[in-house]
Structures are given as C-alpha cells and as structure tokens.
C-alpha cells in the first residue's frame, strides 16, 4: 500500500481525534520527519512519568514526530491506540505492554500494514517472535538477582541465622513481576537462612503497596525483610510500617527496585537498605532504534540499559546526582 493513507492527512487526523488519540500530528508530505507511535501503559508512578518525559524529549531532540497515547493501565486502551497508529500509517510503533499476553492479533495487523514494532520497558509472550522487531529496556531478572545478592551480603553483615521475607510484587503476568521474582529467588534459593513467607501483588501502585504491607503486617509478626518490586509500592509500604510503630530499614530490611529520587533519598536516611536501579531514561535509545527500523535495518532482539545498585554499604551516596525521576 506504500502508506497510501498519507494522502488524506486531514481526514485521518480528524478520525484520530474523534477516536481519542492524543496529539496526532499532521502529515503533509512524504518527506516529513519519521513518525513514531508510542503507546504508554499509564502514569502510575514517578518512574512512569520519567519514562514518558524521556521519550517525548528524545523525540524532540531527534526531530522525530511523536504520536503519544496513555492507556491508563488498560490493555484494551493500549490495543486501541496501536490500531489508531496503524490507521494513520506511522513509520514505527513502540509500546510498553501492560501484560505479556494478548497482543498477537493487533501486532499481526501492524505487520500486515508493514509497520515494525518495538516493545519498551516490558516484554510480550507470543508464539510468533516475528511480530515485533525487538525490545529495549531493563534486564529484570538481573535486577532480581542483584536484590538477592544484596540480601546475601546483608545477612552476613547481620550475622543472621534466619530471615523471614515478604514480597510485594508488580502487576501479575507482567515481565518485571515474573523476572524480578525469579531472579531474586535464584540468588537466595540455595541459602537455608531465607524463607519467603508471603507474596502479594501491589500492581506497581503506591496505594496498593501500602494495602499489601498492612495485610502482611497483620498476618505476620516476624517479618525481617521486605522485597518490593518497585519504589512506588515501597513508599506505600513504608507508610504502613511506620504506622505500625516500626522503623523501616532497621526493624525491617527494605530492598526496592527502580531508583526514583524518593527511594534514593530514603536510602540516605536509612529507611531503605538497597535500591536496584531500573532506569526509565531510554528515550534516546528508542529513537535510535526507531530510525533503524524505519530505514529497514535489523536491530538486536534485546537492548538492555546499563544499571547499578545503590546500598547502605556505599560511601558515595551524598555525591549522587539528581535522578531525574
């Protein structure tokens, strides 16, 4: 079809506006800048807001037109956004999938339209790997392993004989939820000092993190460690811990993932013991990969961010630059 729909930009822009697609740009000629459709999964945390800002600012720097849609934590809205991108015949589609399953049909539609797809931040599960070109984001299993490795060192420093662990996981069936949990277990599974006594899903939300921690504290009087899959849930959990009259970071060892400014500040205060970085600042990489895909080039199946771990054992915490999210 050679992107024949572009000859009707005004009509299509009107249709997209009626369909609710935010910020649809006009296409006035075949020589305009690359057009990227980006379907974000939501705005549930400072991390997600930082991720969105990174993509938007990177697109502006790169001279790439961006069609942006916020799915507000709903897969059906994200699928609708992707279909609007297909209708507009964007050059490349990128999206952060809410869950791993349920994407095959819409991605087949993208392939039939000749539009390459890039998954960001989270991965998908499909029997047909050719439905998407690649993934850009974090190695979630490695993040979980780093969390477990910190706990091994912390237990040694404490001289602990046994530690009871509670876990607040992310959205059920999402890639980070699965892989952060598995990586953590891989790191500690051969050490008999550790028992995971309970695991609840907080859906990566601060409010649910607090609710989960309240339930865990009511059900268990002997919690030694909290492993939380993201900082938003950790902030909520700390509220519940303090309301119970306990000292976070002291009475309960706290390990969290993301690296938001708020979590690093709490690490400096001693209320968090370990922060595993998961950077949302991947906008420039997304733009670089989108250009390659639009030019018909192949990309790596997975492009991972370089990330570090911040712990109570670090001596340079006060010199850390602002996180930016």
């Amino acid at each position: 079809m050679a992107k024949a729909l572009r000859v009707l930009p005004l009509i299509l822009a009107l249709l997209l506006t009626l369909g609710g697609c935010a910020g649809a740009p006009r296409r006035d000629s075949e020589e305009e800048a690359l057009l990227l459709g980006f379907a974000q999964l939501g705005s549930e945390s400072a991390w997600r807001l930082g991720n969105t800002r990174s993509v938007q600012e990177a697109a502006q720097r790169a001279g790439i037109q961006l069609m942006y849609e916020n799915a507000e934590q709903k897969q059906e809205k994200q699928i609708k956004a992707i279909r609007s991108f297909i209708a507009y015949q964007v050059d490349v589609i990128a999206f952060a999938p809410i869950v791993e399953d349920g994407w095959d049909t819409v991605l087949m539609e993208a392939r039939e339209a000749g539009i390459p797809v890039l998954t960001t931040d989270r991965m998908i599960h499909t029997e047909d790997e050719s439905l998407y070109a690649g993934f850009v984001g974090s190695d979630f299993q490695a993040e979980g392993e780093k969390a477990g490795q910190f706990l091994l060192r912390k237990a040694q420093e404490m001289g602990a004989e046994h530690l009871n662990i509670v876990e607040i996981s992310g959205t059920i069936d999402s890639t980070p939820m699965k892989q952060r949990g598995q990586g953590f277990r891989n790191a500690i599974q051969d050490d008999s000092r550790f028992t995971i006594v309970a695991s609840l899903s907080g859906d990566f939300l601060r409010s649910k993190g607090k609710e989960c921690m309240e339930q865990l504290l009511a059900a268990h009087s002997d919690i030694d460690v909290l492993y939380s899959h993201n900082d938003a849930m950790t902030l909520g959990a700390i509220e519940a811990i303090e309301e119970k009259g306990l000292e976070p970071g002291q009475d309960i060892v706290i390990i969290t993932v993301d690296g938001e400014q708020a979590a690093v500040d709490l690490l400096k205060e001693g209320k968090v013991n370990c922060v595993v970085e998961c950077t949302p600042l991947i906008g420039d990489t997304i733009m670089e990969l989108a250009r390659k895909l639009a030019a018909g080039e192949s990309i790596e199946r997975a492009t991972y961010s370089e990330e570090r771990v911040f712990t109570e054992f670090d001596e340079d915490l006060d010199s850390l630059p602002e996180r930016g999210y």
Side-chain angles (χ1 to χ4, degrees), residues 277-292:
E277 184 179 33
C278 175
T279 180
L281 308 180
I282 57 176
D284 290 323
T285 305
I286 291 172
M287 300 309 139
E288 178 185 348
L289 296 176
R291 283 201 182 283
K292 289 182 178 180

Side-chain angles (χ1 to χ4, degrees), residues 262-281:
V264 173
D265 289 343
L266 289 174
L267 173 64
K268 294 176 182 179
E269 294 177 28
K271 293 185 177 183
V272 167
N273 306 86
C274 174
V275 179
V276 179
E277 184 179 33
C278 175
T279 180
L281 308 180

Side-chain angles (χ1 to χ4, degrees), residues 141 145 228 245:
Q141 182 146 323
E145 291 171 356
S228 171

Side-chain angles (χ1 to χ4, degrees), residues 130-198:
S130 70
L131 290 177
Y132 68 102
F135 161 83
V136 55
S138 299
D139 186 335
F140 302 117
Q141 182 146 323
E143 290 172 353
E145 291 171 356
K146 292 172 184 176
Q149 289 161 4
F150 166 79
L151 184 56
L152 290 170
R153 179 179 177 184
K154 178 65 174 176
Q156 192 68 29
E157 296 280 342
M158 294 170 62
E161 295 183 0
H162 186 265
L163 295 173
N164 287 327
I165 305 164
V166 294
E167 176 183 48
I168 301 181
S169 74
T171 303
I172 293 174
D173 290 334
S174 67
T175 307
M177 176 267 182
K178 291 180 178 180
Q179 295 188 0
R180 285 175 184 162
Q182 188 58 55
F184 182 73
R185 286 161 176 76
N186 289 347
I188 67 171
Q189 64 185 358
D190 295 328
D191 195 317
S192 60
R193 292 176 296 176
F194 305 117
T195 301
I196 299 177
V197 297

Side-chain angles (χ1 to χ4, degrees), residues 29 36 39 51 82 90 93 118-119 155 192-193 199 207 219 233 242 249 276 280 286 300:
S29 78
L36 171 66
N51 180 240
I82 293 171
V90 299
I93 292 171
L118 181 67
T119 63
S192 60
R193 292 176 296 176
S199 179
S207 59
M233 297 186 299
E242 291 182 326
V276 179
I286 291 172
E300 296 289 334

Side-chain angles (χ1 to χ4, degrees), residues 59-78:
Q60 187 172 23
R61 284 193 298 271
I64 290 175
Q65 291 190 78
L66 185 69
M67 291 178 66
Y68 170 80
E69 185 71 62
N70 182 344
E72 299 176 346
Q73 306 294 128
K74 298 179 179 64
Q75 186 178 27
E76 60 271 22
K77 285 197 67 174
Q78 204 163 31

